[in-house]
Every structure is written in C-alpha cells, then in structure tokens.
Amino acid sequence: MDPQTLFYIIIAIIIIDFIIDKILETLNAKHFDDPIPKELENVYDKKEYEKSQLYKKERYRFGILTSTFSVLLTLGFIVFDGFAWVDEIARNFTDNDILVALIFFGIIMIGSDILTTPFSWYSTFVIEEKYGFNKTTKKTFFLDKIKGWLMMAILGGGILALIVWFYQFAGNDFWWYAWILVAVFSVFLNMFYAKLIVPLFNKQSPLEEGSLRTKIETYAESVGFTLDNIFIIDGSKRSTKANAYFSGFGKEKRITLFDTLVKDLEEEEIVAVLAHEVGHYKKNHIIVNLAASILTTGFTLWLLSLFVGSPALSQALGVEEPSFHIGLIAFGILYSPVSEITGLIMNYLSRKFEYQADNYAKETYAASPLISSLKKLSKNSLSNLTPHKAYVFMHFSHPTLLQRFRNLKRNL
Ligand SMILES: [Zn+2]
C-alpha cells in the first residue's frame, strides 16, 4: 500500500474513533435525567441526587473538552510531520537505534504528559474538589507525576530497549522473544505489584486484630480460603472514593481494602465485598484475565512483526527510512480498531465475571450486605444510575448497579 493512502487511513481511524466515542457519550448524557429505577430510589435523597446530576454533567462537558484537545493535538502532530521532527531530534543525539527509540518515546511521552497536565490538574483540584472528593495535595500531585515518569522510564524504557534489541538480532522473529518477555513481566508484576509498586505511591498496613478481622477470618475459613494478607491502603491520601481489590496468586495473594471503604461501610458489608473478591479468585478470574491478556499480547506482537519493517508505515508518518519506533507508532494507530474490539470482548467477559463474583458472595455469605454496600459506594461516588445501554456495552467493565441489584435479588 502506498504511504499516502496509509496516511489517510490513519487520519480516518483517529477521526472515526473520536466520533463514535462522542456519539456514545452524548447518548449516555441524554439519559442523565431519566427517572431513577424504583429499586434504586433509596440510593440518593433529593439533594444528593441533584448534586450527582451536576457532577455527571460537569464530568461530561470536561470529557468532551479533553478528548477534543487530545484528538486535535494528535491530528496536528501527524499532519505537520511531528513524529518525523521528534525522530530527527533523537537522531541528533546518537545513531544507536535503541537509544534513538528511547529518546523518541521519552520526548513523546513526557511532551504529551506535560500538555495534558493542566487538564488533570483541573480535574483534581477544581472538579473533584468542588464535589468534595479530592484529598490530593499539590505536593502529592507532583510527586505522583515524577514517580510515574521514573517508573515509566525504568520499566517501559527497559522493555522497549529489549524489544528493539530483539528486533535487531532476530528481525521479524523478534515477536517471539518480545512475547516471552512481556508475558514473564506481566506474571511477575501481577505477583509482586502490591509489594514493589504500590509502596511507591501508598502506605499499606495489615488489618489490625479486632472484630472486623475476626469476621473476615471466620468467613475465609468457612469457604476454605487461606488469607494471611489483608491490607488497608491509605486511599484517603488522594480521594474520598472507596475501593477494594485482589492481587497476586499462590502465596502472594492478598486483598487490599481502601481505608475509605472501611470508613464508609459496616463490617458485614465489608465482609460481603471481600466475599465478592474471594469469588474472583475461586472462579479463576485472575488467571483467566492474565491468560487472556498474554494471548492478546502475543497476537498483537505477531501482527506488529508483519508490518513494522514496511517502509510505507514510516513514510505515512513522513519518515523516509523505516525504523522500529516509527513503525510501532503507525501500527499502534492502525491497530486501534482491533484493540477496540478486543477491549469490547474483555469488558463483556469482565461483566460476566462480576456477576459470578456477586453470586459467589451471595451463596457463601449473603446478598443483602453486598447490595447495601454497592448502593453506598454508588452514592458516595455520585455514580450515574441511568447509563445508556450502548455506553454500558462499550465501556463498562462492571454491570450497572441496577443489573447487579436485580441479579443479587433473584431467587432470594
Ligand atoms: Zn469484582
């Protein structure tokens, strides 16, 4: 295919993707004012409901603004040969291909991060602040940025350098090596994420002895689940929004509860949330997700290996000599419709898993504390109780509150 056609396809993909997203968001926003389903009427009182309406609308408008900015920036960058320009800057420093790729992506990442920082600043310190969610200090905000960059430089840079090196000695067969590297890395990260990465950003402490711990242990024992690692994390350092998650497997498995969750929920409700998390583990969701993501990575890398060396890919972005990093950028954009589809499948799967984990909690513990915890969590994060079907289908990794409520109430 000639570079000119490829160039137009790249531009078309970016624009079409943007338009589809905007249509979905607008559809979703049209239903912001729908009457709340009967079963969920007790989630908000009148005042809280009005507040949640304002919050959704403000988030929606802000989303339009940021995505429009970023799509215009990307299009401008492509049309005015921005990638060729950054490639040239990188080549002024060195002619080692690995270093060129590192400098190239370093400039692109840090550049785009700096350009979008005002938006994340506004989101945190204006919008979240206004609705009482924000707990992040300015110091934390900047420290997070710097730590994020360092982590990206070390982990992302390390992986990129290795992949370019594989490409240098193995040619198109590089994808095998890259796949093994990424697979080993994801398993490792999944195992040790809580031990190695989380401490850079948060404090975690084991859940203290007391009635909550006893209740959790009693439950865990009743389902034959050895759980030595229950941690409380200081989520309140950044936001009042609450969460809980499961990570690792084997000896490294642990459940992390946000301190905000412990504060907002009754002990029975916390055990119910935990039973849901145990359900994810018992039903092998952690392993299946990891396996699915490793398979997708393999497929993507294989596809990349077919195209990355093609001069047309680089030339479509205005660079004469084909190089791995330019090919990677062009491929990344051309691949995005495929990744939309794999993302859709993953979301679908994830929603199935959520039902299974809810059912597990219902069968092994109880449905009503899980229902009341889900309602409280929705209320405290001012969630949208009436999302549009198409939007849920495309973007939701969890079923809606109404769907989960009805599922939990079934056969009760
Ligand atoms: Zn879940």
Side-chain angles (χ1 to χ4, degrees):
M1 197 182 284
D2 72 299
Q4 194 64 26
T5 316
L6 220 50
F7 169 82
Y8 287 121
I9 294 178
I10 286 176
I11 299 289
I13 285 178
I14 294 172
I15 294 176
I16 293 170
D17 183 60
F18 177 73
I19 293 174
I20 293 178
D21 244 20
K22 289 314 109 187
I23 292 175
L24 278 173
E25 274 161 29
T26 311
L27 259 180
N28 195 45
K30 279 214 166 113
H31 291 267
F32 279 168
D33 296 323
D34 280 6
I36 292 185
K38 265 244 154 328
E39 298 102 309
L40 304 181
E41 268 172 352
N42 60 356
V43 171
Y44 293 123
D45 65 30
K46 193 170 174 297
K47 239 181 116 184
E48 285 158 349
Y49 182 60
E50 280 162 8
K51 190 173 162 196
S52 86
Q53 295 291 80
L54 291 172
Y55 181 61
K56 294 189 285 214
K57 287 171 190 168
E58 187 150 2
R59 276 265 150 230
Y60 166 66
R61 285 193 303 267
F62 183 69
I64 302 260
L65 180 78
T66 48
S67 56
T68 307
F69 174 79
S70 101
V71 87
L72 289 177
L73 188 70
T74 312
L75 287 174
F77 207 69
I78 292 173
V79 170
F80 296 108
D81 286 341
F83 291 111
W85 175 61
V86 176
D87 182 59
E88 224 177 275
I89 296 176
R91 285 184 192 287
N92 278 336
F93 285 99
T94 169
D95 22 75
N96 177 312
D97 279 344
I98 295 178
L99 290 177
V100 170
L102 288 175
I103 298 170
F104 175 84
F105 278 109
I107 295 175
I108 302 276
M109 298 280 203
I110 293 191
S112 77
D113 197 81
I114 289 174
L115 286 171
T116 51
T117 292
F119 294 101
S120 57
W121 177 277
Y122 186 86
S123 165
T124 306
F125 295 109
V126 180
I127 304 181
E128 296 292 290
E129 183 77 41
K130 184 152 98 188
Y131 293 89
F133 292 128
N134 180 44
K135 294 279 170 227
T136 311
T137 60
K138 283 161 192 165
K139 187 178 155 205
T140 305
F141 183 86
F142 282 113
L143 279 178
D144 280 356
K145 277 246 169 282
I146 292 166
K147 288 181 209 166
W149 285 1
L150 285 176
M151 218 172 72
M152 192 66 214
I154 295 167
L155 299 181
I159 288 178
L160 177 69
L162 283 170
I163 292 179
V164 178
W165 180 59
F166 296 153
Y167 185 65
Q168 285 178 346
F169 75 75
N172 283 354
D173 283 336
F174 82 94
W175 74 275
W176 270 110
Y177 301 86
W179 190 18
I180 293 168
L181 172 75
V182 176
V184 170
F185 180 74
S186 357
V187 173
F188 177 83
L189 203 62
N190 196 289
M191 283 286 259
F192 297 105
Y193 177 75
K195 266 192 187 156
L196 298 176
I197 309 288
V198 176
L200 301 174
F201 297 92
N202 285 89
K203 276 201 191 72
Q204 308 175 96
S205 43
L207 176 62
E208 287 165 22
E209 295 296 330
S211 59
L212 177 60
R213 180 148 197 137
T214 312
K215 283 192 180 107
I216 291 176
E217 281 168 351
T218 311
Y219 168 75
E221 229 165 273
S222 77
V223 292
F225 186 79
T226 24
L227 184 57
D228 308 321
N229 303 318
I230 311 166
F231 283 84
I232 306 286
I233 193 170
D234 61 343
S236 60
K237 185 177 167 187
R238 294 189 181 79
S239 171
T240 59
K241 290 177 181 169
N243 203 356
Y245 61 87
F246 197 103
S247 63
F249 37 80
K251 257 185 134 27
E252 291 299 328
K253 66 182 190 289
R254 69 159 84 189
I255 284 177
T256 307
L257 305 169
F258 278 45
D259 55 355
T260 42
L261 185 97
V262 178
K263 186 178 146 269
D264 291 350
L265 301 183
E266 304 293 330
E267 290 185 347
E268 274 71 24
E269 293 168 336
I270 298 171
V271 180
V273 169
L274 204 116
H276 169 100
E277 298 302 326
V278 172
H280 279 309
Y281 188 81
K282 287 269 187 178
K283 303 272 174 191
N284 294 322
H285 298 160
I286 320 276
I287 301 287
V288 173
N289 279 333
L290 194 60
S293 103
I294 289 175
L295 283 177
T296 323
T297 308
F299 172 69
T300 312
L301 285 166
W302 167 74
L303 215 56
L304 172 68
S305 77
L306 301 182
F307 296 105
V308 73
S310 127
L313 271 193
S314 295
Q315 285 160 8
L317 295 180
V319 179
E320 262 323 298
E321 276 292 298
S323 61
F324 186 84
H325 56 277
I326 301 287
L328 186 57
I329 293 266
F331 175 82
I333 302 170
L334 291 167
Y335 183 75
S336 64
V338 183
S339 72
E340 285 284 330
I341 292 168
T342 53
L344 215 70
I345 298 171
M346 290 306 279
N347 270 344
Y348 177 79
L349 196 67
S350 166
R351 293 194 298 266
K352 287 264 165 253
F353 286 173
E354 289 307 319
Y355 283 127
Q356 290 179 8
D358 279 354
N359 290 341
Y360 184 87
K362 176 165 83 173
E363 284 151 20
T364 60
Y365 191 64
S368 56
L370 187 57
I371 291 174
S372 66
S373 73
L374 291 174
K375 283 186 172 178
K376 271 191 197 169
L377 294 174
S378 292
K379 166 192 150 107
N380 291 354
S381 58
L382 297 177
S383 314
N384 180 12
L385 301 183
T386 55
H388 189 266
K389 267 189 184 150
Y391 191 81
V392 173
F393 181 73
M394 292 287 280
H395 291 300
F396 274 37
S397 62
H398 287 55
T400 65
L401 180 62
L402 182 64
Q403 289 170 326
R404 294 179 78 178
F405 176 88
R406 286 184 177 159
N407 173 61
L408 284 165
K409 277 282 182 192
R410 202 168 294 148
N411 311 321
L412 211 74

